[in-house]
Amino acid sequence: MRRALALALTLIGVVALAGPAAGERTAPEKWPTTVFSTVGKPGFPAYVHVAPNGRVYAATYTNPAGDTMASRVLEWTASGTLLRSWTVPGQDLGAPHGVQVATSDARGRLVLLEKSRAQVLTLNPRTGRFKVQATLPDLPGAGHPIPNYAAWGPGGKLYLTDYGQGVIWRIPAKGGEPTPWFRSEALEGAGFGTTGIVYERSRRSFLISQQTTGNPLDLLRGHLYRLPVVAGGAPGEIATVWTSGPLDLPDGFGVAQSGNVYVALLGTNRLVRLGPDGKVRATFPPGPVLGANGSAIPFDSPSNATFLGTRVLVANQSAILGTASHHAILAVEVGEPGARVFIPRRARLR
């Protein structure tokens, strides 16, 4: 997410003329959208996490134009009332910085992914204590690590996407050093890398979203992949579930109980609903770029789709335009409940 913004501004007009993705439903779909909460400075909210206790969390990223404000972690009630916030310590404020609230552990701590130092942290909401759990290393010839999304997998191990290095990391149960679990050219983006990850327990596999690949024949299209976990916890063969339109930039996503997948398209300011077979069932709004969702705040770089009941909560990041009044969490009624997020009893770091 949130990188190569100058390239995005150059190409976004091309996307508007490109038409719908292959197989896309063209009939209008209306999903009532409201403002769950606005997000103040430093703004640029990232992924929204709904904890098992029903509280809602999100954190903030740096202004693309540059700032020296530390990231904040915000907490809301399920109705959108802001309760508390915490300032993230230890960031390199001279570098691009930001935090994702990726998930919770079995002890109720929040798992945070910090960009400037490529670190995994935990935050105990009861005590306000932050703790550094791991640092992602540079891989030879692979660029700089950027932890992006995370999900618990089999055996209480934590799996992380890396926006910068084309790798899925794994941290052992109860913590430890991260190791590369899966590397593939499919995860190497053309300036826009690997984003969301969700574990499908019934399939024993991960769904993984990719904004673009390094293949020039892909024409800056994104993908949703499925990656099984095979015997011994090794990765199986990655397969494409869905391919987006040019510069849709698929970001975070949520999975419904039905198996439908709701993906935020950061590049074209839309949400797309995919069936369990990967076919497009609907897009909202039907036209790209403008983000006209019927609420007081249009979609502007929507970066995720996290279920809260039958609504999905969307972090409206405005990563390209940087419009402060668009920094908000939006609630989109999609008419079906989300699947339970997998947080096993062994899901804990140090």
Side-chain angles (χ1 to χ4, degrees):
M1 303 182 293
R2 301 164 281 276
R3 260 73 60 182
L5 300 180
L7 174 62
L9 284 169
T10 302
L11 296 177
I12 203 76
V14 176
V15 177
L17 301 175
E24 183 173 308
R25 173 177 168 176
T26 56
E29 182 90 5
K30 289 189 176 181
W31 296 337
T33 302
T34 57
V35 178
F36 179 81
S37 178
T38 56
V39 176
K41 289 184 177 181
F44 301 93
Y47 173 73
V48 182
H49 170 59
V50 177
N53 64 4
R55 294 285 172 86
V56 176
Y57 298 90
T60 65
Y61 261 69
T62 185
N63 188 328
D67 66 45
T68 57
M69 296 182 66
S71 297
R72 296 170 61 211
V73 177
L74 307 167
E75 178 189 64
W76 294 270
T77 66
S79 61
T81 299
L82 181 64
L83 296 176
R84 295 180 290 177
S85 69
W86 300 266
T87 299
V88 179
Q91 293 182 289
D92 181 357
L93 300 181
H97 52 281
V99 168
Q100 298 260 62
V101 183
T103 185
S104 301
D105 71 5
R107 296 169 56 186
R109 296 180 301 175
L110 302 177
V111 178
L112 312 179
L113 307 180
E114 201 286 310
K115 177 182 176 182
S116 72
R117 300 191 186 276
Q119 290 180 332
V120 181
L121 302 88
T122 49
L123 166 62
N124 188 331
R126 293 184 293 275
T127 65
R129 183 188 179 195
F130 289 85
K131 185 174 182 179
V132 177
Q133 298 287 350
T135 300
L136 301 187
D138 290 336
L139 296 174
H144 182 67
I146 304 173
N148 206 3
Y149 284 79
W152 297 102
K157 300 177 180 67
L158 186 66
Y159 294 77
L160 290 78
T161 62
D162 188 328
Y163 194 89
Q165 296 195 112
V167 61
I168 304 295
W169 297 92
R170 183 170 69 182
I171 298 178
K174 298 185 180 179
E177 292 300 316
T179 57
W181 178 69
F182 177 75
R183 296 186 71 176
S184 171
E185 291 182 358
L187 302 182
E188 295 177 359
F192 304 89
T194 311
T195 49
I197 183 169
V198 170
Y199 183 63
E200 303 174 292
R201 189 178 183 184
S202 62
R203 290 178 176 263
R204 197 174 166 82
S205 63
F206 288 98
L207 286 174
I208 300 165
S209 50
Q210 179 75 18
Q211 288 193 336
T212 65
T213 68
N215 183 351
L217 299 179
D218 236 359
L219 301 176
L220 296 177
R221 297 178 187 271
H223 301 273
L224 183 69
Y225 297 123
R226 178 169 283 119
L227 179 61
V229 181
V230 298
E237 185 175 348
I238 194 168
T240 299
V241 177
W242 165 74
T243 300
S244 80
L247 216 68
D248 272 337
L249 305 184
D251 211 301
F253 59 90
V255 181
Q257 290 181 12
S258 66
N260 289 335
V261 182
Y262 292 79
V263 187
L265 304 181
L266 183 145
T268 51
N269 296 331
R270 295 186 293 175
L271 300 180
V272 61
R273 179 170 64 202
L274 308 176
D277 56 1
K279 293 183 178 179
V280 175
R281 302 291 176 83
T283 55
F284 175 73
V289 180
L290 297 181
N293 55 31
S295 81
I297 299 177
F299 289 139
D300 185 353
S301 305
S303 65
N304 73 287
T306 300
F307 271 96
L308 176 62
T310 60
R311 300 179 296 168
V312 293
L313 300 182
V314 178
N316 213 43
Q317 198 167 83
S318 193
I320 297 172
L321 299 178
T323 304
S325 62
H326 290 178
H327 293 158
I329 309 300
L330 304 180
V332 185
E333 177 60 59
V334 297
E336 60 174 329
R340 184 176 181 179
V341 176
F342 182 62
I343 303 178
R345 286 180 292 179
R346 295 179 63 188
R348 61 185 65 192
L349 299 172
R350 286 192 294 259

